[in-house]
Structures are given as C-alpha cells and as structure tokens.
Amino acid sequence: MSEDTTNIAQVSEQDKGYWAANVRMILISLVIWAVVSFGFGIILRPALSGIAVGGTDLGFWFAQQGSILVFLALIFFYAWRMNKLDKQFGVEEE
C-alpha cells in the first residue's frame, strides 16, 4: 500500500469522526429545542400553569419567550462548540 493511500484512509477516518461529532451535537441541540418549545410550551403547559413567572404562568412563558431564548442560546452554544471541534480535528478557519 502506498503512502498516499494510507493518508487517504487516515483522513477518511478523521472525517468520519468529525461528522459523527457534528451530527451528534446537532441532534442533541434539536432534542433540547423540541423539548423546550413543544414539551414545555405545548404538551406540559397545563402542568406548568401553577408556576408564575413575570405575571403569567410558566407554560405560557416557555411558549412565548423561553423557547426563543433557548433557541438563541443553542445557536451560540453550537458556534462555540463547533469552533472547539474544528480545532480538535484541525479544520479551523484562519
């Protein structure tokens, strides 16, 4: 086996690891977003109605404000974590 073929195989395994970590992070972020927006804002809203936040119940707050704030936090978390992941796999931007 030539040296070029060996390097291609190594890069391929590194790429698989990078994309596996990336997809795992995306799936975790989507699950968090779904639980907060659909779970807390819609499905669990009746159970959260007894908890007051800012003059309204917690379920309504999640439906109107909380899901948006969590979504924004997930965007910043994803960007921060992708920068770390890029550095770890040596594909960071210059």
Side-chain angles (χ1 to χ4, degrees), residues 40-42 44-45 48-49 51 57-64:
F40 293 159
I42 297 171
L44 295 175
R45 188 174 185 275
L48 299 173
S49 65
I51 303 169
D57 65 273
L58 185 60
F60 180 78
W61 182 85
F62 268 114
Q64 298 301 314

Side-chain angles (χ1 to χ4, degrees), residues 26-92:
I26 290 171
L27 289 176
I28 290 169
S29 297
L30 285 174
V31 167
I32 291 170
W33 174 73
V35 166
V36 169
S37 62
F38 294 113
F40 293 159
I42 297 171
I43 297 170
L44 295 175
R45 188 174 185 275
L48 299 173
S49 65
I51 303 169
V53 172
T56 187
D57 65 273
L58 185 60
F60 180 78
W61 182 85
F62 268 114
Q64 298 301 314
Q65 300 283 337
S67 61
I68 295 169
L69 294 176
V70 169
F71 183 70
L72 288 173
L74 285 172
I75 290 171
F76 286 108
F77 169 76
Y78 179 79
W80 170 77
R81 186 65 180 104
M82 277 306 296
N83 285 335
K84 275 183 78 171
L85 195 65
D86 288 348
K87 288 179 186 174
Q88 178 183 349
F89 283 91
V91 293
E92 70 269 9

